[in-house]
Amino acid sequence: MKISVIGTGYLGATHAVCMAELGFDVVGVDVDQSKVLRLQRGEVPFFEPGLEPLLRKHVENGRLTFSSDLQAAAGWADVHFVCVGTPQRTNALSADTSYVEQAVDGLAPHLAPGALVVGKSTVPVGTAARLRERLRAQVAPRTHADLVWNPEFLREGHALHDTLHPDRIVVGTEGDVGVATLREVYAGALESGTPFLVTGLETAELVKVAANAFLATKISFINAMSEVCEATGGDVVALAEALGHDERIGSRFLGAGLGFGGGCLPKDIRAFQARCIELGLNRSVAFLAEVDEVNQRRRARTVALAHEMLGGRVKDRRIVVLGAAFKPDSDDVRDSPALDVADQLYMRGGDVVVHDPQATEPARRRSPDLVYVDSLAEAYAGADLLLLLTEWSEFRVLDPAVVGSRVRQRKIVDGRNVLPVPEWERAGWQLRALGRGA
Ligand code: UGA
């Protein structure tokens, strides 16, 4: 079986590499020539643990190639995974589906007989059915090519594991179109017992957005509890731990702190609201607006806390922001809470210095006015305030005595609730954490 993967961002590049790892011949297609060239040289254009060695392996053994020739890929492969982005539109909540449309339009007229187009991108419910009609209208006569939807649940930072060992495989289709083909693609995972769920197109699209909406809600729930803890003297970390022991609730995604960002959760909850409004279901997911607001308020609260700890004066104070990526083990700064807080403190006149183990370049492109330093020690030297905003493992294990000997003032905000508070306090630090009181 020959496979093409359209779009080589976080999702597509990972999927292409994993398909090659499963033994298929794969071409990854992207309109961005420079990305194609880098991937063909064995370079991953973003940070994802473990991906680059596997990419190299399959580029070198010839199983994986990259190209910007969509038409050639359309005629060559049997299965085409569409992995292009569906970003939030400017000045609107809704998702821009033009890239998935372009991918389908580019593939359809050139598809080989029996080819299967498999949508993986996150799309508003109803998009897949529309795209299937669009595809059917453009394929050559008697080609019998078709389209199904197979949402992706990978997390950045764990992309290889999530793609090779998914916790479920969902296929949205009509009847059994494409089911046998996808069972063959995912044979390895199926053998190890991964649930394989066949649904209609709409349900498959909804599984993805509902999952992300649920995760975002869970995070904002605990962050709302954080606000209550701050006002009442409660401790959100102890609260979350106690809640998590209830198996019906579970402890994952109950990490209180600066909240969620990235290229998925924020845009997906907004696009879901926009789609429901279009469908006349204004009330059904109206709570997601509140989920979004709770999330944004954590950023504002962190800025306020910094202000407070600096005695009401941010201007000209050396404020060190640890972390720029939206989460650890990623260099993605899309809607990054950490970078957002850094920007806001800079706008208030702070002398803001940012250190991130991987995201400096993407952060610099987004927020060029901030100062970025490569070494952690260089970052905290002379600091008036430290803010730990992305919980990279190296930040969790900082030695408060060593850091304390280099800063100007021993003041730190733990925006992710990961530092051992007593240890820092014993070393003479004033530590404030979100949801834990003074
Ligand atoms: C998310 C989903 O977890 C994936 O299942 C999904 O496939 C992906 O979106 C997608 O739609 O493609 P990802 O964006 O990589 O994955 O990041 P998450 O691990 O979900 O983290 C999202 C944000 O939530 C991060 O900013 C993280 O710091 C924050 N978070 C996470 C918390 O604030 N608290 C937690 O307890 C967990």
Side-chain angles (χ1 to χ4, degrees), residues 122 152-156 208 212 215 219 252-255 259-262 264-265 268 326-327 337 391 416:
T122 303
E152 179 57 53
F153 304 103
L154 71 80
R155 296 160 300 165
E156 289 178 24
K208 176 59 193 270
N212 277 0
L215 294 172
I219 298 168
R252 296 177 73 190
F253 273 68
L254 219 48
F260 60 82
C264 304
L265 263 45
D268 289 352
F326 84 104
K327 68 171 187 181
E391 68 278 31
R416 293 292 179 180

Side-chain angles (χ1 to χ4, degrees), residues 167 188-196:
D167 45 19
L190 294 181
E191 260 166 43
S192 51
T194 305
F196 186 87

